[in-house]
Amino acid sequence: MFIKFRLFSFINGIARAVPHRQYHTGSTAQGLSLQMEIIRHSILIKGIVQGVGFRPFVVRLAKVAGITGLVTNTSSGVEIEAQGRRESVELFMAGLRDRLPPMALVLETVVSDITPVEGETSFAIRPSRTEANATVVVPPDIATCPNCLNELLDPGNRRHHYPFINCTDCGPRYSIIESIPYDRPGTGMKSFTLCIECKREYEDINDRRFHAQPNACPRCGPVLEALNPGGDSLDGDPLELAREYLAAGKIVALMGLGGFHLACDAMDEGAVSTLRQRKQRPKKPFAVMASDIENAGKIIELDATTRALLTSPSAPIVISQSSGELTLAGCVAPGQTTLGVFLPYTPLHHLLFTDNGGNGPKFLVMTSGNRSDEPIISTTQAALEKLGTVADLFIVHNRPIVHPVDDSVVKSVAGVGDVMVRRARGYAPRPLPLPLPASASAKSRVVLALGAELVNTICIASDGLAYLGPHVGDLKNLETEEGYRRSIDHLLELLEVQPDLVACDLHPDYRSSAIAREWEKRGIEVVRVQHHEAHATACMAEHGFSGEALAMTLDGIGLGHDKTAWGGELLAGSPGHFTRVAHLAPVHQPGGDRAAREPWRMAAAYLRKILGSSWNSLPLQTFSHQTEAELETLETMMERDLGSPLTSSCGRLFDGAAAILGFTGPMLYSAQAPIELEGLASTATATREYPPALIEKRAGTFVIDPSPILSALLDDSLEGTDRGSAALGFHSAVAKSFAAAALMAASDTGLKKIFLTGGCFQNGILLREMIELLEKLGLEVYCHRQVPPNDGGISFGQAAYALLHKS
């Protein structure tokens, strides 16, 4: 007998394998004979089954079932041999299916019958074994579990206030793994020898720390150290010093799980303002760590979804509406009606909020330890070099961070649920199943997908699974590119694979495309995937779909097949066979990339389309900050098509609308104008009713002209209409216009499924209204959940596209 099963369903975010096995018995006597028969199964389990207490779970399960055998970690997964009476082995198999450890993720199980072993009397853990073709799944880092938190705060426990407490249910995983199988010698803990007590726990099958690889205590584990900006060690308890500095309005650089954070008191206006100045981050909202879920509820609205996300083992930053019950420093999130909030997810974080006098902080700004546009810092030396003029105190430790990983970000959208914004700590590199073509070659191929230029991630597809790496960032500078290259090398090494196919963006000037050419010179085939087709494929693949459908891809920019800048697209077809069936009417983008940073330029471009050259005499606030010469120069550029490429970008449409409603100056962080426009819309108590866009079919393609919407928006802006109502009216009119185009495309193509993707669908108002409208029109709507709709999901789409198109 040989049984193999895979799964593609998730329950509460964790996949569960469900085998379908039936045993047929004849007579009662024959059935009794089968029950008494001694059998032995060989079982290979693939997935996140190392670093999550799986072997201890198997041993305990074997004892309950009364069977003998063995379990071992291999570089392919967990291998089990289970022997006993048939009913006992069946009981054991049922436990493997239904009683998994909390963080386990079973993706595939292979079962075969082997010859029973005579004289076997126990169930043993065998030494780990490395194999040629590794398929083990690397577990993500896990937030501190309730049991460890109780021990951390228990004065009678030997790990009382020990900032590196962990067990098989929590603690560092991906950030410390150097190699697989996942054993202590292959982690950043290899230099820490277990003391007698920790070793006893490690070897005790009944202990929660049985085979917990990062296990440690104050006698044998990592330690904290406090340094001044010059790198000199400071006397005293590092955590006491940190709390003192924070209370005094100072900035503390904290070496955490996946890198450094910069922390300050979120209630202290002066401290937050100083952090902004030193970090050179004038406007972008800061994330806030609340001491506990009760305090989180004082600053954001907590529905069931938000509460579950905040307290989950992944512990992401959750963007939710501000509650207004308690006000933080005004410069924490200027111009926003939402806050990004998360809870302590390491023992070190919990201890920062713990004060014996009960006067500890309740809210801390906790932002990535880097300068703007640079990757997160993960070593003490680099922190001192780059943050020496930013932080007043450095709290560091001697547990190496092997894989730097930033915090994950999830947005809670009322009426929709949670939308992934940045997939990193707690999620990456947890794999996602891929829909594969029928050809046997697809599963055997290894694809390295290099992602986009901005909000970059990488993805490796192997054995039918996509390993989406953590957030890298924008490939704008040498430091980020070096981190990007390291992330490629690390993930390939961990998976022990080499690509035979590389996927990248169609744009030849992206750094990721340049790296693809390096692989091409080594003889590796390269697939160049159009940006929006990658977005569409990512959303389809996330839902296990590879057939024909519609995809609405709304974002900032992506090079189109016609060499213009796309971004407001409706595609029809399947990966490798998409057709552009609708798009926003092209408009000038005066100054090229500069217009993506200065929204007044896009306002000028759209208003010129409506009013001609008289646009520059409009008394709009956004134009008042420009000189007459600058306005005239822009008009000349557009009139003569100089440095003004055409774009159909929805992101640029939102930029222009924000400027018409009063956004001035350059954007100081990515998508600032649209984000503030969404915030403005969320304050509205009523909405303006604007006419929809004009939709005209040209050469078989529906062209969406938003001029009527912007003309009405301009009138309201000049008349001083409530800006919140106008902003909400704009969102509604754009959603109605795209929904109308989708219905036309569905009628033309006969396709009823539609996938919503692209960075514009991080906008909760647009996403919610679009879903409601499309469903009312009878379409079957899908949006992103586990993969970001922004360019962080591009690599996943590229990997799926390459497999589906090339296999």
Side-chain angles (χ1 to χ4, degrees):
M1 179 186 69
F2 176 83
I3 298 176
K4 184 174 182 177
F5 50 86
R6 300 196 67 152
L7 59 100
F8 297 99
S9 63
F10 287 77
I11 301 173
N12 296 327
I14 298 177
R16 290 288 185 258
V18 183
H20 299 282
R21 300 182 60 188
Q22 294 182 340
Y23 293 94
H24 300 280
T25 60
S27 65
T28 303
Q30 184 181 7
L32 288 172
S33 176
L34 283 172
Q35 290 177 9
M36 296 300 293
E37 177 189 6
I38 299 298
I39 63 171
R40 189 177 185 89
H41 282 346
S42 172
I43 309 158
L44 175 61
I45 300 180
K46 299 181 180 181
I48 297 181
V49 288
Q50 296 185 22
V52 292
F54 202 88
R55 287 179 297 173
F57 153 74
V58 169
V59 174
R60 287 191 288 267
L61 190 63
K63 286 191 173 183
V64 170
I67 65 170
T68 62
L70 60 90
V71 60
T72 183
N73 274 347
T74 77
S75 48
S76 295
V78 168
E79 204 170 272
I80 303 167
E81 292 185 13
Q83 177 171 313
R85 291 187 301 175
R86 183 175 296 277
E87 62 181 9
S88 299
V89 174
E90 288 180 1
L91 177 65
F92 175 77
M93 294 298 294
L96 286 180
R97 180 187 66 218
D98 300 329
R99 297 167 55 189
L100 293 175
M103 293 306 296
L105 171 68
V106 174
L107 294 169
E108 182 176 3
T109 300
V110 180
V111 183
S112 59
D113 283 337
I114 57 176
T115 303
V117 175
E118 292 186 13
E120 188 177 62
T121 59
S122 65
F123 197 99
I125 293 182
R126 293 285 175 84
S128 297
R129 188 175 73 250
T130 302
E131 297 175 337
N133 297 311
T135 55
V136 73
V137 178
V138 178
D141 299 300
I142 309 166
T144 305
C145 71
N147 286 329
C148 281
L149 182 58
N150 288 336
E151 292 177 353
L152 180 74
L153 303 179
D154 178 5
N157 191 277
R158 72 188 190 92
R159 292 188 177 87
H160 178 237
H161 281 193
Y162 181 57
F164 303 96
I165 189 172
N166 67 85
C167 69
T168 54
D169 292 332
C170 68
R173 297 295 190 272
Y174 172 70
S175 61
I176 63 167
I177 290 177
E178 294 177 345
S179 62
I180 52 176
Y182 176 62
D183 287 311
R184 195 177 182 101
T187 73
M189 292 294 294
K190 63 186 176 185
S191 62
F192 298 96
T193 303
L194 291 169
C195 67
I196 294 174
E197 188 65 19
C198 286
K199 187 175 182 182
R200 181 197 61 76
E201 295 169 333
Y202 184 87
E203 295 175 347
D204 183 355
I205 185 65
N206 297 310
D207 197 282
R208 198 173 81 252
R209 295 185 173 89
F210 180 58
H211 280 241
Q213 306 307 334
N215 188 27
C217 74
R219 295 178 60 184
C220 64
V223 295
L224 290 180
E225 185 179 13
L227 306 175
N228 65 23
D232 300 317
S233 184
L234 301 176
D235 293 334
D237 179 355
L239 281 165
E240 286 291 341
L241 286 172
R243 286 191 287 264
E244 289 173 12
Y245 271 66
L246 291 168
K250 303 294 184 180
I251 297 165
V252 176
L254 188 74
M255 187 178 185
L257 192 66
F260 275 82
H261 279 116
L262 290 167
C264 71
D265 188 342
M267 306 286 286
D268 188 328
E269 192 78 41
V272 180
S273 179
T274 298
L275 177 56
R276 286 203 174 279
Q277 180 183 3
R278 292 183 186 176
K279 193 179 174 178
Q280 300 173 26
R281 183 170 165 170
K283 290 288 186 180
K284 188 175 182 181
F286 282 135
V288 174
M289 183 175 281
S291 61
D292 51 42
I293 192 68
E294 287 73 24
N295 277 315
K298 295 178 182 178
I299 56 175
I300 58 170
E301 295 179 0
L302 278 183
D303 59 15
T305 298
T306 305
R307 182 180 291 269
L309 282 168
L310 286 170
T311 57
S312 71
S314 298
I317 296 169
V318 180
I319 300 173
S320 184
Q321 285 294 316
S322 301
S323 65
E325 180 180 340
L326 188 150
T327 304
L328 302 178
C331 57
V332 167
Q336 305 295 308
T337 59
T338 58
L339 277 173
V341 175
F342 58 147
L343 299 181
Y345 59 83
T346 71
L348 181 55
H349 294 146
H350 285 286
L351 292 174
L352 272 182
F353 290 101
T354 302
D355 186 305
N356 291 332
N359 299 313
K362 299 294 186 290
F363 308 98
L364 293 175
V365 164
M366 197 75 76
T367 187
S368 299
N370 57 357
R371 290 190 178 273
S372 293
D373 296 326
E374 293 184 1
I376 190 169
I377 294 168
S378 59
T379 68
T380 299
Q381 181 180 349
L384 292 169
E385 290 174 356
K386 292 181 174 291
L387 303 177
T389 58
V390 179
D392 301 299
L393 177 71
F394 290 76
I395 304 298
V396 301
H397 58 74
N398 58 342
R399 185 180 68 199
I401 297 172
V402 179
H403 299 286
V405 58
D406 218 327
D407 293 313
S408 292
V409 181
V410 178
K411 187 170 184 176
S412 178
V413 179
V416 176
D418 52 293
V419 177
M420 185 72 69
V421 175
R422 184 168 74 197
R423 192 175 190 270
R425 175 192 50 77
Y427 296 93
R430 179 185 294 161
L432 298 165
L434 285 169
L436 294 176
S439 65
S441 64
K443 188 177 177 183
S444 64
R445 302 209 71 165
V446 176
V447 179
L448 168 62
L450 296 171
E453 185 79 351
L454 304 178
V455 199
N456 181 274
T457 60
I458 65 159
C459 182
I460 295 173
S462 175
D463 197 33
L465 298 173
Y467 299 83
L468 185 56
H471 168 81
V472 174
D474 298 349
L475 301 182
K476 293 180 178 179
N477 52 57
L478 181 61
E479 289 89 348
T480 306
E481 183 179 332
E482 288 174 347
Y484 171 64
R485 289 179 180 272
R486 284 195 299 271
S487 69
I488 294 171
D489 292 340
H490 285 164
L491 200 50
L492 287 172
E493 288 169 6
L494 281 178
L495 298 175
E496 295 185 1
V497 295
Q498 284 299 312
D500 54 38
L501 191 60
V502 169
C504 70
D505 196 273
L506 187 65
H507 200 303
D509 296 332
Y510 285 175
R511 288 303 305 151
S512 50
S513 298
I515 292 171
R517 289 192 290 273
E518 294 175 13
W519 285 94
E520 200 165 29
K521 290 177 181 177
R522 294 161 58 179
I524 304 299
E525 182 182 4
V526 172
V527 179
R528 292 171 173 84
V529 187
Q530 197 278 326
H531 191 85
H532 300 94
E533 294 183 7
H535 270 310
T537 306
C539 196
M540 290 177 171
E542 181 181 336
H543 291 278
F545 185 78
S546 59
E548 291 193 342
L550 296 172
M552 191 180 293
T553 59
L554 309 183
D555 68 356
I557 187 173
L559 182 66
H561 289 298
D562 61 0
K563 305 302 181 185
T564 65
W566 292 8
E569 315 304 315
L570 195 62
L571 306 178
S574 59
H577 306 284
F578 285 114
T579 301
R580 190 188 194 198
V581 294
H583 59 82
L584 277 173
V587 67
H588 285 113
Q589 187 170 319
D593 287 345
R594 190 172 176 183
R597 300 187 297 272
E598 300 176 10
W600 71 272
R601 292 172 178 265
M602 291 311 304
Y606 273 108
L607 294 175
R608 184 179 188 275
K609 191 172 181 181
I610 299 168
L611 302 172
S613 60
S614 63
W615 67 268
N616 60 10
S617 62
L618 289 168
L620 287 176
Q621 184 178 356
T622 194
F623 297 149
S624 67
H625 291 255
Q626 318 307 319
T627 66
E628 186 176 335
E630 286 174 324
L631 297 176
E632 290 176 356
T633 298
L634 203 73
E635 166 61 25
T636 301
M637 289 172 63
M638 291 187 285
E639 180 186 12
R640 300 180 182 178
D641 283 330
L642 298 174
S644 301
L646 293 176
T647 182
S648 59
S649 166
C650 189
R652 299 294 79 78
L653 173 62
F654 272 76
D655 290 347
I660 290 171
L661 283 180
F663 186 93
T664 61
M667 287 193 278
L668 299 176
Y669 61 90
S670 177
Q672 180 188 358
I675 289 171
E676 292 190 4
L677 185 68
E678 180 189 0
L680 195 60
S682 69
T683 66
T685 56
T687 183
R688 296 288 291 165
E689 292 292 334
Y690 293 143
L694 297 172
I695 303 176
E696 180 184 358
K697 197 169 189 179
R698 303 176 192 168
T701 302
F702 295 105
V703 179
I704 307 163
D705 183 356
S707 294
I709 304 172
L710 294 173
S711 181
L713 189 70
L714 172 64
D715 290 343
D716 274 357
S717 180
L718 293 174
E719 292 171 9
T721 300
D722 177 71
R723 293 167 65 237
S725 298
L728 185 58
F730 170 78
H731 280 78
S732 180
V734 170
K736 289 175 182 176
S737 300
F738 272 101
L743 182 62
M744 294 174 189
S747 178
D748 268 17
T749 62
L751 300 173
K752 298 300 182 183
K753 293 180 186 290
I754 186 166
F755 294 82
L756 308 183
T757 184
C760 290
F761 284 116
Q762 291 175 177
N763 182 314
I765 296 173
L766 180 67
L767 177 62
R768 182 171 56 250
E769 290 214 20
M770 194 70 77
I771 292 173
E772 290 175 356
L773 288 167
L774 293 171
E775 287 181 342
K776 285 179 182 178
L777 293 173
L779 299 181
E780 189 176 337
V781 187
Y782 299 85
C783 64
H784 287 281
R785 297 295 185 186
Q786 301 180 72
V787 175
N790 59 43
D791 283 6
I794 283 286
S795 63
F796 177 68
Q798 289 171 345
Y801 183 104
L803 278 177
L804 291 166
H805 185 51
K806 284 290 183 178
S807 300

